[in-house]
Amino acid sequence: MANAPERAEVIVVGGGIVGCSIAYHLTKKGISDVLVLDRHELTGGTTWHAAGLVAQLRSTENTTRLAQYSLELYRNLEAETGQSTGFMAPGAISLASTEHRWEELRRTAAMARYLGVDATEIGPNEILEKFPLCEVSDIVGGIWLPEDGTVGPSDCTMALAKGARMGGAKILEHTGVADIIVTDGRASGVITEDGQTIEADTVVLACGLWTRHLAAKVGVRVPLMAAEHHYVVTEPIPGVDQDWPILRDPDRWAYLKPEAGGSMLVGLFEPVSRPWPASGPPPTDKSFISMEPDADHLSDWLPPTFDRIPALHEAGLRLLFDGPESFTPDDNYILGEAPNLPRLFVAAGFNSIGIQSAGGAGMAMAHWITEGESPMDLADVDIRRFEPFHSTESFLRQRTVEGLGLLYAPHWPHRQYDTARDVRRSPLHDRLSDAGACFGSLMGWERPMFFARPELGIEPKFEYSWGRQNWHEANAIEHKAVREAAGLFDQTSFAKFLVQGRDAGAVMNRLAANDVVREVGTSVYTQWCNERGGIEADLTVNHVAENEFWVIGGAGTRSRDLAWIRKGIAEHPGGEANATVTDITSAYAVLAVMGPNSRDLLQPLTDHDMSEEAFPFATHAEINLGTAVVIANRMSYVGELGWELYVPTEFAVSVFDLLTEAGKDHGLELCGYQTLNSLRFEKGYRHWGHEVTPDDTPVQAGLSFAVGWDKDDFIGKDALVAQRAEGASRRLVQVAVFDADVLLHHHEPLYRNGERVGYVTDGMWGHTVGAAVGMAWAYGDSKITKAWIDEANWEIELPGRMVPAQVQFRPFL
């Protein structure tokens, strides 16, 4: 190691394309004192063996925006730096050889066009024109993406590194990092492998496969593990032109890329992959790692792939390659500041899309580091989306087997993971299983999605399709019970926090947009906002005692919400607040009794007065329920009379038995989360991460009623007050399609008078309304008003057709 400084403003650990992109973008943000450290040589981790594909489409709007940014960056990087990147834009074709894949691809293309991506549906003859050696006899159709590109991964990394150096950054190779320095509870530098201390204001871990193990040394959990990724490169094939487009053939689990000189690169994302290494952390004593390809493994998957280009069967193989790629539990990469260690940032786990993502990820990380927040909603890739167990060796090994193949597996609505299941169970799991529950998994929780109906031939398993799935009629029965009688939901997976201390009320009211410091016994629905007014959380705050509050949130945001509370305590005006937060999620099961018969069901079981006068909406009380003492919270996510019952875990089974026995006389049905969703869509109840995100404000989302406008101050108030006065040019609206053959899933484009103005966030069949119902974001040139909606003709784009839609501000029920 030579010329290592004693300190730097930002240290980036890892010299692959992601680390170099972060350094490059930090210099663009005016941070010239950047130090990149690599244990071996630049690109020597996984960058060097990447295929170099630069696609534009991802699963969400903002990750697509980042991929689009990467493409434009790489297109112009050589002109800026003088360093070749090998950029080409041959375009790409995604192929469908089944009807259900064609449905998926057409839906994807419709959303792509909304995002400004050139995506055209083409038939077999047009595919053959663009790729003359392609076998098209089984092809239903394809999506032509003319702007998709490729780069030389190492060349592109070197261009980013040169650009970073041009901005003042320093890059040191052969300088490994052994540990991270922590001072006063924050990352403050690194210790190199030869024992040198280098101080820093910020440390960024962008070291690929090794990130999890280095972060673990300071108690930061980063859930990623490598999987073996196979590809082959052929000898030159007569007639192949490197200007031909990339072929993506997900039904054969492969991509095919023409190379210089007429050879072909064929890569696999087979459905059963192999974690690497077989055990323990990856080695640190070598770079440019590859493994010995398993010919037997390749023989299972290459022949059907070669059938797509029959000439491949006659071509010699110049290279059989097997290299490691980092995969995360949900196939989305990881960005952001560690929730339990300020000023330690992570950018890793890129799931074989590191090249296409690196440009946008570097831009986003530079903004995050310098501005203290991401430039847009990046919840899908935010490190705070994970739970601690996600980083355990056992969980990762199970999930990684499935993860690589999921890149090309059908992306069915409501699809569930097959691996790493039964991680977390409600105390009622066995009772629910015996009752016929079909379980889905969220944050490891096994949650009932619907209940089998043997009399209707409905078994407790998912049978996926783009149309009505096998559980539709079971959903209808549960849905009707809640609307007309009573339903019982197990919502134990709710996140639950106890915030207490002298300043607890002040902390809660600064975080919450609504006024949550009210009489003891009140329950307040609220949002937590960022300084832009964007919604960081959507939850309920219960004032349970003087200086004590319960915060109730969703299972999917427990880690994120906990980090937000801790940050609110630490950064309270005037210094750290006198308050603590305790995660009490596992201490209480939650049973929700919902429906018009819920009061009649509960009242005989308790000596507490459950009448409207004694127990109004948005209040809670401790009540005796049989032999248990529970917290009953008069709230509803389904739009009917009901209570959430917070039951100490050890009493959960006895309370469940009490309720189900009493419910026989009141039409009680056990209900799953599919029914929770179909009910909420009819009532227009938002879900964080679907309908509302950090990019969306309460004003835009129609949640102004949940804002305490008269409060002295709360995070985001200035932005919300200004937006309220000006009016919003984008609004969340309710949509319905009264056609029995139509279902709304997500991301269907929304049209006003023939012009594309938004998209559906999510939807389901509303059994009471008798329509496909959902919510959508609508964009206008100026303030969106009721008249702007009512006076227009509305349609929703489905594959191959437009369907009339009804759009309004208010829910349909």
Side-chain angles (χ1 to χ4, degrees), residues 447-714:
R447 311 194 308 172
M449 304 306 291
F450 64 90
F451 286 83
R453 299 284 168 175
E455 70 277 11
L456 299 177
I458 300 173
E459 299 179 12
K461 64 179 182 180
F462 278 94
E463 297 174 7
Y464 299 119
S465 77
W466 286 97
R468 292 185 175 181
Q469 297 187 8
N470 63 305
W471 45 265
H472 181 83
E473 291 305 319
N475 173 223
I477 293 169
E478 297 172 18
H479 186 111
K480 182 178 180 180
V482 176
R483 289 281 184 247
E484 299 179 6
L488 181 62
F489 298 85
D490 177 15
Q491 296 180 319
T492 299
S493 59
F494 275 1
K496 316 165 194 80
F497 308 108
L498 170 62
V499 182
Q500 57 188 337
R502 185 186 65 226
D503 297 329
V507 169
M508 288 290 92
N509 245 4
R510 181 172 178 271
L511 295 180
N514 211 340
D515 184 2
V516 299
V517 183
R518 305 186 187 184
E519 292 182 18
V520 171
T522 56
S523 303
V524 181
Y525 171 59
T526 188
Q527 288 75 48
W528 293 347
C529 298
N530 53 43
E531 294 291 356
R532 305 186 309 274
I535 299 171
E536 295 284 346
D538 183 77
L539 32 71
T540 302
V541 178
N542 299 343
H543 197 169
V544 298
E546 185 178 3
N547 297 329
E548 288 189 15
F549 298 82
W550 274 23
V551 178
I552 310 299
T557 58
R558 189 204 67 87
S559 293
R560 181 188 183 93
D561 294 344
L562 181 58
W564 196 259
I565 298 172
R566 286 173 172 164
K567 184 178 180 181
I569 292 172
E571 298 180 358
H572 196 68
E576 185 168 346
N578 184 303
T580 61
V581 56
T582 306
D583 183 357
I584 57 173
T585 299
S586 298
Y588 291 88
V590 182
L591 284 165
V593 182
M594 297 288 156
N597 292 352
S598 57
R599 178 179 285 117
D600 292 340
L601 190 162
L602 289 171
Q603 187 62 81
L605 308 179
T606 181
D607 53 9
H608 195 92
D609 187 352
M610 306 296 285
S611 68
E612 182 68 32
E613 296 74 22
F615 210 141
F617 183 73
T619 64
H620 63 271
E622 184 178 271
I623 70 171
N624 300 325
L625 194 63
T627 58
V629 179
V630 308
I631 302 293
N633 187 30
R634 175 92 187 275
M635 276 285 174
S636 174
Y637 196 46
V638 301
E640 300 293 341
L641 174 70
W643 282 264
E644 299 165 354
L645 305 174
Y646 292 81
V647 186
T649 303
E650 66 271 28
F651 289 93
V653 171
S654 64
V655 170
F656 176 84
D657 290 346
L658 180 70
L659 293 171
T660 52
E661 180 62 30
K664 293 177 181 178
D665 296 328
H666 298 280
L668 181 74
E669 293 281 354
L670 296 178
C671 300
Y673 273 81
Q674 302 293 49
T675 296
L676 194 74
N677 274 320
S678 62
L679 291 162
R680 81 171 179 89
F681 279 119
E682 290 186 329
K683 293 288 185 174
Y685 292 165
R686 284 71 165 153
H687 185 276
W688 191 90
H690 290 86
E691 286 74 48
V692 291
T693 74
D695 286 344
D696 312 313
T697 71
V699 175
Q700 296 166 333
L703 295 172
S704 293
F705 68 89
V707 176
W709 296 104
D710 295 331
K711 285 173 56 177
D712 289 339
D713 192 26
F714 59 87

Side-chain angles (χ1 to χ4, degrees), residues 230-233 252-256 265-268 270 294-309 312-313 317 319-320:
H230 302 83
Y231 62 75
V232 300
V233 180
R252 297 177 190 237
W253 310 94
Y255 59 89
L256 305 99
L265 184 153
V266 181
L268 296 172
E270 66 275 21
D294 184 332
D296 290 338
H297 184 80
L298 290 175
S299 67
D300 292 335
W301 302 103
L302 282 179
T305 298
F306 283 10
D307 289 344
R308 180 58 64 209
I309 303 176
L312 288 171
H313 287 291
L317 297 182
L319 173 67
L320 283 76

